[in-house]
Amino acid sequence: MSTHHPSTPRNLPVVLVPACSKMLGHHPFQAAGQKYLDAVRLGGCLPLVVPAAQPDDVNALLSLADGVFLTGSVSNTHPRHFGEDVHDTSLPLDEARDAWTLPLVREVLRRGMPLFGICRGLQETNVALGGTLYQAVQEQPGLMDHRSRDEDPVDVQYGPVHPVHVQRGGVLERVLGLGDLQVNSLHGQGIRRLADGLRAEALAPDGLVEAFSVPQSSGFSLCVQWHPEWRADENPASRKLLTAFGRACQAWRAAHHRNEDDDLAPET
Ligand SMILES: N[C@@H](CCC(=O)NCCCC(=O)O)C(=O)O
């Protein structure tokens, strides 16, 4: 007999959130930003933070999940994954994250599992599928500087700074409708060549791809360059995006019979 307590959420979709490698003092940690975890919850899912894993762990980890949420990070995707040397050696990398998130993305999309990527999550997904990145968007002729300024207050850093134009016929039009969306911008890398088969979902005024989906994958997929997790509960567009992802994860859970009661509820 289940010992479920009504106040405990039951049958929430489980969403894997790959952690980032961080140094806290002299010691290495694996960490995920609270605002991302809150955003997964806002979408109606249960975040499961996963420390840096091995490619061979991907299938076992996905067997626990109903979706995957790739967070932003101050670290860059290593440029060797798109055939380049590091342009600015002063910028942080996270090869432990790269090593498993790139194969993770390919398997999630092969299975048709729901995928939501933010900022670095968009970049590593494009690279995982064979696309390339600008390592320094601001150094490209004709492109804007998409970075934030460390000296600005955090609400300014994550405040809206430019529009993105939603493209016709994709996920963003379905979820948000057509038109322009004001978004924040905190990135030095950006999409140079969109991987084959990806659908550009939104463009910045300088033409940079700021969101894409993966039509070949049977499930929900959306990666955005901006940060909808920032104050998501106050932003109607962010809430719609996160809710759409959460509903896709719920549908995955139901379709794969992962929403039956667990009679092996822990003894109290
Ligand atoms: N390092 C990459 C990706 C940028 C990014 O994800 N920024 C957010 C960092 C802080 C946070 O998690 O909110 C790039 O510079 O393009």
Side-chain angles (χ1 to χ4, degrees), residues 80-250:
R80 65 181 174 83
H81 294 295
F82 49 94
E84 295 185 12
D85 294 327
V86 174
H87 175 71
D88 181 345
T89 56
S90 71
L91 298 177
L93 300 167
D94 188 344
E95 294 214 71
R97 172 165 165 169
D98 295 341
W100 85 282
T101 56
L102 300 188
L104 173 72
V105 162
R106 291 189 285 266
E107 182 58 18
V108 166
L109 294 168
R110 187 194 68 78
R111 294 183 182 203
M113 288 186 78
L115 174 70
F116 196 101
I118 290 178
C119 208
R120 192 209 208 260
L122 164 137
Q123 297 166 359
E124 63 195 338
T125 298
N126 184 52
V127 171
L129 301 176
T132 63
L133 304 176
Y134 295 116
Q135 292 192 57
V137 175
Q138 65 280 2
E139 295 178 12
Q140 302 304 317
L143 295 183
M144 305 183 315
D145 186 342
H146 287 252
R147 296 172 299 180
S148 60
R149 301 189 318 166
D150 292 343
E151 62 269 28
D152 284 339
V154 68
D155 276 328
V156 173
Q157 292 185 44
Y158 285 85
V161 286
H162 70 70
V164 293
H165 187 68
V166 175
Q167 301 300 288
R168 188 176 301 277
V171 175
L172 275 186
E173 180 190 13
R174 171 167 59 83
V175 176
L176 298 180
L178 285 176
D180 287 354
L181 180 69
Q182 287 296 328
V183 300
N184 51 30
S185 187
L186 300 95
H187 62 104
Q189 292 192 330
I191 292 177
R192 179 193 290 264
R193 182 176 57 77
L194 194 61
D196 294 346
L198 298 191
R199 173 194 283 134
E201 292 274 350
L203 302 179
D206 58 4
L208 196 73
V209 173
E210 288 263 343
F212 64 73
S213 56
V214 189
Q216 314 96 315
S217 182
S218 58
F220 176 97
S221 61
L222 183 64
C223 291
V224 299
Q225 186 66 79
W226 65 91
H227 287 266
E229 86 286 357
W230 178 256
R231 299 192 186 283
D233 55 342
E234 302 169 14
N235 185 315
S238 298
R239 293 184 77 104
K240 287 177 181 176
L241 294 175
L242 295 166
T243 301
F245 171 65
R247 287 193 179 123
C249 295
Q250 188 64 62

Side-chain angles (χ1 to χ4, degrees), residues 15-40:
V15 171
L16 300 188
V17 182
C20 296
S21 307
K22 299 274 184 188
M23 287 299 291
L24 298 182
H26 299 292
H27 303 287
F29 282 73
Q30 292 285 305
Q34 184 66 53
K35 58 187 170 72
Y36 296 111
L37 308 182
D38 294 343
V40 170

